[in-house]
Amino acid sequence: MKKIIYTIILVVVISVSPGVAAQQNASVIAIVPFTNLTKDTDLEWLSEGIVETLTTKLAHVKTIQIVERQRLSAALDEISLGQMGVVDEAKAAKAGQMVGAETVVTGAFQQVGETFRLTARFVKVATGVISNTAMATGSYADLFSLEDKIADDILSSLGVAVSAAEQEKMYRKPTTSVDAYKNYSQGLNYVKQERYDDAKLMFDRALKEDPDFGQARNDLAFVQWARPSANSSLYLKRIDRPFDETYETMLSAVQRAGMEVRNAQKETGTMEVHESSWSLIKSPQDIQIEIKRLETISGVRIFSQPSKVPCLGIRQAYDWGQSKKTIEKLIAAFETELYRH
């Protein structure tokens, strides 16, 4: 009997260890918006568009962990990096420290005549020193190939080996139309600004250019879901995670916030969360959560209403300030769970 027990334990250790080691050895990188060195404002969309493409490509590599764009944006806003033009190494390292990255990728793009150039610098967060650089030159029509080159150079700089399956996914093009890609990137920028009508227009244009552009169709579905409830939600976000992961993360966030899930319906993506604190001047809060299931992303909407007062069976006067504080507490817990490594 003892031999059997020891054998089982040994098998478990051997099975689990490689996965744990792979997770611990993952390279954590952050990619900041690329700087437009060209005076042509019509190219400004590439600042975010290039980041979106590189993030999507590198996310297919299991030994790399990409810092969430929403989390990185918050860090950049805090140190006002977005207003500085070219990002210096010290600021890049500071942003990297804030989000737990080991390497920060900064870059720029420039068009001179028919020549289009992408450049990138890789800053080691621990030292604030540029560890390597990359450059890809071609024409504007070669944009997708130039982005592939920069992605390859990032992997090479990190010393990351890529499997054939990962490589196939990396080089898979979501669209072959630069114009569709431009409209899609502009739509994503409008989503960040919560300008959903403008975002819908851009995604519609992207799909007109390329009806098979799956990412544009996915984000159009998010916008169509978000628009009707934009004014009644205290939290409405596009999440770069699939539905199942987002739903489980929200459940963990509720527990972290010290709240209670009273009614969760995963098939519909809804849950009701209760904060039980109550007094004559503070009503308990019932928080309503909707999580939208999309193909590769998800949407999260949070809103609230006052609970019935115990024993009396009536609702207190709605306390907007208290409701907002309760939801902010849940949001903080959700984003902590969402972005923790």
Side-chain angles (χ1 to χ4, degrees), residues 29 50 80 135 146 191 198 228 230 289 316:
I29 69 172
I50 293 170
S80 302
M135 182 172 67
L146 301 182
V191 168
D198 292 329
I289 301 172
Q316 286 186 318

Side-chain angles (χ1 to χ4, degrees), residues 43 45-46 50 109-118 136-148 178 181:
L43 295 176
W45 65 275
L46 282 169
I50 293 170
F109 57 91
Q110 185 176 25
Q111 183 166 17
V112 180
E114 296 299 319
T115 301
F116 190 85
R117 179 176 292 114
L118 292 181
T137 303
S139 67
Y140 180 71
D142 298 326
L143 177 61
F144 297 139
S145 297
L146 301 182
E147 290 173 328
D148 285 343
V178 174
Y181 176 53

Side-chain angles (χ1 to χ4, degrees), residues 24-227:
Q24 290 175 341
N25 294 331
S27 298
V28 183
I29 69 172
I31 308 174
V32 303
F34 276 44
T35 302
N36 182 5
L37 299 180
T38 304
K39 294 181 179 180
D40 186 359
T41 56
D42 193 46
L43 295 176
E44 193 61 38
W45 65 275
L46 282 169
S47 293
E48 294 284 353
I50 293 170
V51 177
E52 174 70 20
T53 299
L54 293 177
T55 298
T56 300
K57 288 180 178 297
L58 296 176
H60 293 301
V61 182
K62 293 181 179 179
T63 52
I64 288 182
Q65 184 174 351
I66 308 293
V67 175
E68 292 276 351
R69 292 181 64 195
Q70 291 159 317
R71 183 184 180 196
L72 180 59
S73 292
L76 295 177
D77 289 343
E78 187 171 334
I79 58 178
S80 302
L81 261 183
Q83 304 171 9
M84 295 180 57
V86 179
V87 178
D88 65 69
E89 293 78 44
K91 293 288 187 179
K94 183 175 181 180
Q97 289 174 345
M98 293 173 67
V99 297
E102 299 166 355
T103 301
V104 175
V105 178
T106 71
F109 57 91
Q110 185 176 25
Q111 183 166 17
V112 180
E114 296 299 319
T115 301
F116 190 85
R117 179 176 292 114
L118 292 181
T119 59
R121 297 176 297 166
F122 313 132
V123 180
K124 287 294 183 184
V125 172
T127 61
V129 174
I130 297 175
S131 62
N132 215 331
T133 61
M135 182 172 67
T137 303
S139 67
Y140 180 71
D142 298 326
L143 177 61
F144 297 139
S145 297
L146 301 182
E147 290 173 328
D148 285 343
K149 170 69 165 54
I150 296 298
D152 286 341
D153 287 344
I154 292 174
L155 294 173
S156 178
S157 176
L158 295 173
V160 173
V162 182
S163 69
E166 290 172 336
Q167 196 171 52
E168 190 276 329
K169 291 178 181 178
M170 276 184 61
Y171 293 137
R172 189 182 299 161
K173 301 292 189 294
T175 179
T176 57
S177 168
V178 174
D179 287 336
Y181 176 53
K182 173 183 177 180
N183 288 322
Y184 172 69
S185 296
Q186 290 176 323
L188 286 181
N189 191 43
Y190 285 138
V191 168
K192 287 175 59 179
Q193 300 173 43
E194 299 182 0
R195 294 168 56 181
Y196 297 118
D197 289 339
D198 292 329
K200 180 181 182 302
L201 178 63
M202 291 298 104
F203 294 144
D204 281 335
R205 287 180 179 176
L207 289 169
K208 185 176 181 180
E209 294 287 345
D210 181 1
D212 297 323
F213 193 173
Q215 289 180 1
R217 187 178 302 107
N218 208 24
D219 279 280
L220 177 61
F222 166 76
V223 167
Q224 290 172 327
W225 171 76
R227 287 169 71 206

Side-chain angles (χ1 to χ4, degrees), residues 17 28 35 250 287 301:
S17 295
V28 183
T35 302
M250 183 61 76
I287 300 173
R301 177 191 178 216

